[in-house]
Amino acid sequence: MSILLKFTYLLKRANASLIIITIIFASLLNAKPSYKGETGSQNTVNYRVTVIDSAQNLPLEFVTVILKKANQIVNVKSTDHLGVAAFVDVEEGAYTLSTSYVGYKSYTAPVTISRINNGTRILLQQRAINLSAIVVTGSRSKANSINNFLDIKTGVKTVELQDFHPAPAARMTTVIQENLAGAVRATTGEVHIRGQHGEYSYYIDGIPIPLGVFGGLNEIVDPSVINSITFYDGGFPAEYGGQIAAIIDIKTHVPPGGFHLNLSTFGGSYLTSNNESLGSGVGSFKSLNSNGQSISLSNHIGRLGYFFTGTRDETDRRIDTPTPVVFNDHGFDYFLFGKMDYFLSQNDYLTTNLNYSETNTEVPFDPVEGINYDTQNSYNAFQTLSYYHTFSNKTDKSTNLFAGLFVREGGLKLGTSPFDQSLQYIGNSPVGYRVNQNRSFVSYGTRLKYSQDISHQFGYAAGIDFSVTNGADTFNFLNSNNNGPVNNTIFTGSDFGLFAQTNIHPFEWTRIEAGLRYDQHIAPIINLQNQLEPRLKISFFTDDFTTLYLSYDRLFIPTNIEGLSSVALAVGDSAQATYPEKDNLYVVGIIHNFLNGLTG
């Protein structure tokens, strides 16, 4: 069980410089270290664990590495593409180190962590299964769950999905609601985070993917390749920009082992009372049905790993409107996803994600006009390419480079029923029209990040991200004879970000994360929008199980270019444009591990 209690207060148009100075001054005056030894003494170290496949001699990514002290979990990390899990600011002493990874034997061993012994290398062996002699046993531990872990040192929450088995109708928004502080899910499925509607971003293997792509959990990436999801809801590093009410960082991997082929299907139905709302021809009850099929395959061939999947879902009740009338509410979902990993060398790693999803939905209810046969068709796709290069992986001396490219496409078609009343008027014309919409877009983008740790006390990172979006929005105005004017708009826009951030560790009982970001937003019919954004987070470690932190974030939240349909429609008109939101975000948090399964 993990409960995160935070007090957040969102203020606008505050003096950022004054707030930062006040936080630093108050923090330094009130800080009282409780570590052993004199202030500033070196009694914590960074500890690195490297996990290797013993048979192929290749690094294993996304292995769960657990560090325990006196049989209590101190920290949990996942290995990166080089098989490295880095534990930061670990107090010297005796610990127990263990690993967990599907398809491999577990590893458990005692370790003594010190400045001299600051790393270990683990060779994992694949688990052989004899189908003729399987013994199933089970146990339940009341210790901290390793699948839902809140890092005491950083305040960042990570959810491991290796044992997550969602229902066919599972939504990504459900995972967000259950794990992100201040998140509330609306009846229509959208998530509001601290009062902000849908202004959060996904990162997939380091690549930013704006929110508009997503719907259900299966429409992002297949659950089989999601290793972990990390949630940021305050104290944002300067590298994050855009839709930043929260950041959902998804790490994916090709399932371990040899060739796998999975086929599955489901079906179900239930009866709902008609109450004569659907007419006498339907009867007293109506059957609501759903079914779906999926296929997936994966394999590792030397340094190459691949995974491909396809799913189809069909349901009768799609939108679930708050009305007893169940009518014109049928829909289909189609989803294709592929992922490939390749180890170029010991220090170079390449991964790609390919996605396409389509949803065809009947729209059952119009609160003004009553029941109509409206339809909605949407499709989304993205392709990402992530490259990682390690110049040095020494403890406290690591240097890394990340480069990513992405392409994103999408479209939306809204079709109104011929039985709709014509309520849209143009100018002073007495003729009413119903309106059909057809919108499409494509985005191209890149992201670069260079990071280096100079010492145990200081590290820095810098980088850029840039994307450009082109699209078209067409509105067809149709009268009773299906004739009328057409409004066709071509729109273009871009977003650019530049950032630098540092991690300063002047004393063993405190850490300062400071950064500066510059954002620029170009959208139709508005002047260039930009902002300089300071970010600051100060953490105090009173002991191994308690952290107090204060943070300030200056936020710049633009609306996605392809989401500005009202702007695209109003090009050349006098309608108000949509400007980026600019906020000041302050967070005060205290985290304590009670060592009984509860983190507060």
Side-chain angles (χ1 to χ4, degrees):
M1 177 181 180
S2 177
I3 301 175
L4 175 62
L5 302 178
K6 292 188 178 181
F7 301 94
T8 62
Y9 185 58
L10 187 64
L11 301 177
K12 294 185 176 181
R13 299 171 183 170
N15 189 316
S17 301
L18 179 60
I19 295 297
I20 293 175
I21 294 173
T22 303
I23 291 177
I24 296 176
F25 183 71
S27 302
L28 294 178
L29 285 179
N30 294 308
K32 294 182 179 180
S34 61
Y35 281 100
K36 300 175 182 179
E38 299 178 358
T39 300
S41 62
Q42 184 72 23
N43 54 3
T44 67
V45 298
N46 291 344
Y47 188 72
R48 297 170 67 89
V49 178
T50 303
V51 183
I52 303 295
D53 183 308
S54 61
Q56 301 185 42
N57 196 30
L58 292 175
L60 288 175
E61 188 179 12
F62 301 123
V63 177
T64 300
V65 183
I66 309 161
L67 194 63
K68 291 184 178 181
K69 187 175 186 179
N71 204 32
Q72 298 293 341
I73 295 178
V74 174
N75 210 336
V76 178
K77 294 289 185 180
S78 291
T79 57
D80 60 15
H81 55 280
L82 294 177
V84 175
F87 294 90
V88 179
D89 295 333
V90 180
E91 196 171 41
E92 295 179 329
Y95 294 84
T96 300
L97 189 67
S98 61
T99 66
S100 173
Y101 195 46
V102 176
Y104 285 78
K105 296 181 180 180
S106 299
Y107 171 91
T108 302
V111 295
T112 300
I113 297 178
S114 65
R115 278 176 286 178
I116 298 176
N117 182 27
N118 58 11
T120 189
R121 191 170 186 265
I122 299 174
L123 297 177
L124 284 191
Q125 295 180 346
Q126 293 191 22
R127 180 186 290 116
I129 299 179
N130 185 354
L131 296 178
S132 62
I134 294 181
V135 178
V136 179
T137 60
S139 62
R140 180 170 180 173
S141 172
K142 294 184 179 180
N144 301 52
S145 171
I146 63 172
N147 296 323
N148 194 341
F149 189 78
L150 178 65
D151 193 326
I152 299 298
K153 297 293 185 181
T154 64
V156 175
K157 186 174 185 179
T158 299
V159 177
E160 304 283 347
L161 269 73
Q162 62 181 353
D163 296 322
F164 179 61
H165 304 287
R171 293 281 178 178
M172 185 66 183
T173 51
T174 304
V175 180
I176 297 172
Q177 177 195 6
E178 294 176 350
N179 294 282
L180 192 63
V184 178
R185 190 168 182 258
T187 56
T188 52
E190 297 93 344
V191 171
H192 300 256
I193 300 175
R194 293 193 297 264
Q196 294 176 282
H197 175 216
E199 296 179 335
Y200 55 92
S201 294
Y202 293 89
Y203 277 69
I204 298 180
D205 296 330
I207 302 292
I209 304 295
L211 180 64
V213 178
F214 299 100
L217 178 60
N218 288 351
E219 294 174 355
I220 306 171
V221 294
D222 189 279
S224 301
V225 300
I226 298 179
N227 181 78
S228 65
I229 304 176
T230 302
F231 299 90
Y232 298 85
D233 59 352
F236 298 106
E239 65 179 284
Y240 295 119
Q243 309 288 305
I244 199 172
I247 296 295
I248 294 92
D249 191 357
I250 300 175
K251 301 297 185 184
T252 67
H253 70 144
V254 174
F259 180 77
H260 288 80
L261 174 64
N262 294 300
L263 299 170
S264 65
T265 184
F266 75 90
S269 93
Y270 68 95
L271 295 176
T272 181
S273 176
N274 180 25
N275 293 329
E276 298 183 354
S277 59
L278 302 181
S280 59
V282 176
S284 301
F285 293 94
K286 177 176 174 61
S287 175
L288 299 178
N289 307 299
S290 64
N291 69 87
Q293 301 78 38
S294 67
I295 180 173
S296 65
L297 58 95
S298 65
N299 197 7
H300 286 84
I301 304 173
R303 296 175 178 268
L304 174 68
Y306 66 84
F307 173 88
F308 297 100
T309 186
T311 64
R312 172 196 170 275
D313 294 328
E314 178 183 6
T315 56
D316 270 342
R317 194 159 189 174
R318 297 288 301 179
I319 298 181
D320 199 20
T321 55
T323 172
V325 178
V326 181
F327 194 78
N328 194 54
D329 198 2
H330 191 78
F332 295 86
D333 285 307
Y334 303 96
F335 171 72
L336 297 172
F337 178 79
K339 179 176 179 61
M340 291 181 286
D341 296 336
Y342 190 78
F343 288 92
L344 298 170
S345 69
Q346 184 178 358
N347 296 321
D348 297 273
Y349 171 71
L350 202 63
T351 184
T352 183
N353 295 279
L354 310 171
N355 166 286
Y356 176 83
S357 62
E358 181 176 342
T359 297
N360 300 306
T361 306
E362 296 175 344
V363 181
F365 188 75
D366 187 314
V368 176
E369 302 173 24
I371 299 173
N372 289 305
Y373 295 88
D374 298 340
T375 60
Q376 176 177 298
N377 171 269
S378 63
Y379 73 92
N380 289 283
F382 63 83
Q383 303 85 49
T384 69
L385 180 65
S386 302
Y387 169 72
Y388 301 84
H389 176 71
T390 298
F391 296 96
S392 171
N393 59 4
K394 295 181 179 179
T395 303
D396 297 331
K397 297 287 185 180
S398 63
T399 304
N400 298 282
L401 173 68
F402 169 83
L405 299 171
F406 69 89
V407 181
R408 189 169 66 98
E409 306 94 356
L412 174 67
K413 293 182 180 180
L414 293 174
T416 53
S417 167
F419 301 102
D420 279 359
Q421 300 177 24
S422 301
L423 296 180
Q424 179 67 44
Y425 296 91
I426 301 176
N428 297 322
S429 172
V431 179
Y433 297 89
R434 55 189 178 87
V435 183
N436 290 350
Q437 183 184 10
N438 185 359
R439 180 177 60 195
S440 62
F441 69 91
V442 59
S443 298
Y444 304 90
T446 185
R447 184 170 186 260
L448 299 172
K449 178 184 175 183
Y450 177 85
S451 60
Q452 183 176 20
D453 290 332
I454 304 299
S455 65
H456 178 65
Q457 288 78 24
F458 181 78
Y460 72 92
I464 62 172
D465 48 68
F466 174 74
S467 65
V468 60
T469 300
N470 298 293
D473 209 354
T474 300
F475 291 87
N476 291 291
F477 296 84
L478 305 174
N479 58 21
S480 58
N481 296 321
N482 289 329
N483 295 319
V486 176
N487 182 291
N488 187 26
T489 301
I490 305 298
F491 56 90
T492 300
S494 65
D495 289 282
F496 171 77
L498 180 68
F499 66 88
Q501 58 193 31
T502 61
N503 188 330
I504 307 171
H505 195 24
F507 309 108
E508 295 307 315
W509 47 271
T510 187
R511 181 191 297 122
I512 300 173
E513 300 170 52
L516 190 63
R517 182 180 178 89
Y518 170 79
D519 276 308
Q520 176 181 289
H521 177 69
I522 299 175
I525 78 170
I526 65 174
N527 297 327
L528 183 147
Q529 299 292 302
N530 55 26
Q531 180 175 259
L532 196 64
E533 304 144 49
R535 307 277 177 85
L536 178 66
K537 181 179 180 181
I538 304 177
S539 302
F540 302 97
F541 314 124
T542 60
D543 54 46
D544 277 347
F545 305 103
T546 307
T547 297
L548 169 69
Y549 66 91
L550 313 170
S551 70
Y552 165 77
D553 298 307
R554 180 61 175 166
L555 305 180
F556 180 85
I557 307 178
T559 301
N560 291 341
I561 303 298
E562 71 277 4
L564 296 172
S565 59
S566 60
V567 173
L569 176 63
V571 170
D573 202 344
S574 59
Q576 290 292 325
T578 303
Y579 287 89
E581 183 178 346
K582 300 179 180 181
D583 299 313
N584 295 298
L585 174 65
Y586 307 91
V587 180
V588 178
I590 183 169
I591 308 170
H592 181 71
N593 186 346
F594 292 94
L595 301 181
N596 61 356
L598 174 67
T599 300

